[in-house]
Amino acid sequence: MAEIGEGPGTVPEHERILQEIQSTDTACVGPTLRSVYDDQPNAHKKFMEKLDACIRNHDKEIEKMCNFHHQGFVDAITELLKVRTDAEKLKVQVTDTNRRFQDAGKEVIVQTEDIIRCRIQQRNITTVVEKLQLCLPVLEMYSKLKEQMSTKRYYSALKTMEQLENVYFPRVSQYRFCQLMIENLPKLREDIKEISMSDLKDFLESIRKHSDKIGETAMKQAQQQKIFTVTLQKQNNVKFGKTMYINDRIPEERNEIVLKHAFEEEDENEEEVLTVQDLVDFSPVYQCLHIYSVLGDEETFENYYRKQRKKQARLVLQPQSNMHETVDGYRRYFTQIVGFFVVEDHILHVTQGLVTRAYTDELWNMALSKIIAVLRAHSSYCTDPDLVLELKNLIVIFADTLQQPFPKKLPMSQSVPHIYIQVKEFIYASLKFSESLHRSSTEIDDMLRKSTNLLLTRTLSSCLLNLIKKPHIGLTELVQIIINTTHLEQACKYLEDFITNITNISQETVHTTRLYGLSTFKDARHAAEGEIYTKLNQKIDEFVQLADYDWTMSEPDGRASGYLMDLINFLRSIFQVFTHLPTNSSDHAAMSGKVAQTACMSACQHLSTSLMQMLLDSELKQISMGAVQQFNLDVIQCELFASSEPVPGFQGDTLQLAFIDLRQLLDLFMVWDWSTYLADYGQPASKYLRVNPNTALTLLEKMKDTSKKNNIFAQFRKNDRDKQKLIETVVKQLRSLVNGMSQHT
């Protein structure tokens, strides 16, 4: 029986199983081992033998490999033993170095912490400064408000409150102190209303007490005016055709003497006669009206004022029981009524809307019915004819007084009639000098006219020119001189008539000399006009010198500068004075309009030039964008003034063109439109045609220096760096443009 041996397929199968065991993941070994038991009998034993043989083969390979690498391992261990000492030395050195680094790092850490702390403090300081810059203007304005309240400048205080609410408080509304200020403003407004109403009550009491004095003054002035008018009419009614003898000139001389005495009496009484403004201070009613207008409660004030004045009118119209006994009772009654209506007429002309013509007419109709009833009742008790006559005269004066508007002012000054009388006295003296010279009437007429011409062209003309050139003569006085010379020029015709009257030589005679007053007074007017233009520019310079710009401000104040608003108000008042220039003929109207327009245009051009020079001043080294914006607010006010037609007669925007150079320059810097400026330079349709490159370069360099010096953190912010680079680029381009212009020139 043959020995049981391995089947023909057994060995390959076991090798396959061993390969799978060696190469397969341990999780999959189970099925492979199970196949060993599933095969032929004794397969397990044979497989174990085969596995042992495989293990022995692997052990032999491992041994061979170890024998092969043993010497290298021994050499490596030997080398490691050699570097062990060096490694220990290196470890000591590294440890020492680390210790020294740690010790040195402690100081660096301390300094770094100090730097961090300083940076934090610096950032906090910058934040505090920024917040203070927001808060300080608010506190300054509020302090200004308190000062205005303490000095009783209530109207200005209300305007300051408006600025605080509209401009300043919104910037710092998050702070508690701001909320306290906001809560306090309504109380301050109520305080102002109460104080102004109290002042108004005092004013009403004052005019009630002074009504009789005001009326007495007005009636006295009306009586003097009537005497003057009657005297002047008598003088004008003197007939022509008198002889050359002195005795025939007695009526004319008598009238002249009467007229002269009337002037002298008026001069003597001028210091004693008081106007309504001298007797009553009207400032409380003006201030109260302005305050209530600002507070939007003007209607309440008007109703209160009219109601109180109606009550006072009823008291004034109530006569005393014994008024009919003496003329003084009637006089006091009439003076109180006149005083009441003089005050109301004054209020009517100096305020807008507080007193209307319909209101005064209503008061007068009420007063008239009462006056008629009172006179009828009390005059019936009069039995003395002298008292009736005095009452009649008093009623006439009362009626005359209520028919002339008050205050009554003539456009010319007192010097005009004085000069006229002096010239006539000179003519009288010249006539008296010629009495015994045995000259004919024609020769005497010619002598009088030539002498009068010398008086006008030499003496009077020289006096006028010297007066005009005096340094203390202001703009208002120069305008008055123009008015006076116009009336004196018109009076020359009456002087010629006067000479004709006393010599009986007609002006139509061929050889009659004419008076040269026309040319004399024209020369004086031209000199006064030139002096007006000069003094007006000097006055503008005085205001401009008060300018106090903060050229490094970060933000504008939000309102125009005070000096400029004062200047504009001054110009408005001055140009209002020009409305008093004579316009009673077409020539005079053209003259007054020309003077006013020339003065206005000259003032605007001079102001524009002064502002431009202020920007380009060589002593001004730095200008911030905030300062440019503030300057722009001032120029806007100048343009608004020009567009408001301060003097009539300008066409379109002629007056605004005086500021066109400033406007285009500021627009260029406000919009920062350098690309358009450089691209369109020299083109007729350029948006910035009036901007000179040299001017733009000068201003831009001032802004460039400000950007470098004033902003300590600019180097850390990208926007500031970009802006600085842009400024430097534009400066280079402008310099190139300016140099090109110089070479071309």
Side-chain angles (χ1 to χ4, degrees), residues 21 52 107 167 187 250 256 297 328 333 338 366 387 610:
I21 292 174
D52 291 337
E107 185 177 354
V167 179
K187 181 179 180 300
I250 291 177
E256 289 298 318
D297 203 10
D328 291 336
Y333 181 68
V338 171
M366 178 187 71
L387 180 59
S610 300

Side-chain angles (χ1 to χ4, degrees), residues 314 543 612:
R314 294 188 181 96
F543 276 97
M612 182 69 80

Side-chain angles (χ1 to χ4, degrees), residues 351-479:
T351 60
Q352 296 180 352
L354 179 58
V355 173
T356 62
R357 180 60 65 186
Y359 164 78
T360 55
D361 290 342
E362 178 187 353
L363 286 179
W364 172 244
N365 291 331
M366 178 187 71
L368 185 60
S369 60
K370 183 67 176 178
I371 291 170
I372 293 174
V374 168
L375 289 178
R376 284 176 178 174
H378 285 264
S379 61
S380 62
Y381 295 103
C382 293
T383 58
D384 185 359
D386 293 334
L387 180 59
V388 174
L389 181 60
E390 290 180 355
L391 177 58
K392 186 267 295 184
N393 293 332
L394 190 60
I395 293 174
V396 171
I397 296 174
F398 173 74
D400 290 341
T401 304
L402 292 178
Q403 290 175 355
Q404 294 173 334
F406 288 92
K408 179 67 175 179
K409 291 185 178 179
L410 295 174
M412 60 185 176
S413 60
Q414 190 76 28
S415 62
V416 173
H418 285 171
I419 292 174
Y420 182 79
I421 292 176
Q422 290 294 324
V423 174
K424 294 183 74 172
E425 289 183 349
F426 172 81
I427 295 174
Y428 272 136
S430 299
L431 181 62
K432 189 175 181 67
F433 179 79
S434 65
E435 287 179 1
S436 303
L437 296 179
H438 307 291
R439 297 293 182 91
S440 64
S441 299
T442 304
E443 291 175 333
I444 292 178
D445 181 87
D446 184 65
M447 182 197 72
L448 291 179
R449 293 178 185 274
K450 288 182 177 178
S451 300
T452 305
N453 277 333
L454 288 175
L455 177 68
L456 295 177
T457 57
R458 291 186 181 178
T459 306
L460 183 57
S461 177
S462 177
C463 291
L464 287 174
L465 293 177
N466 290 335
L467 177 64
I468 290 170
K469 295 296 182 182
K470 287 185 177 180
H472 69 274
I473 297 297
L475 291 169
T476 306
E477 289 82 2
L478 290 171
V479 172

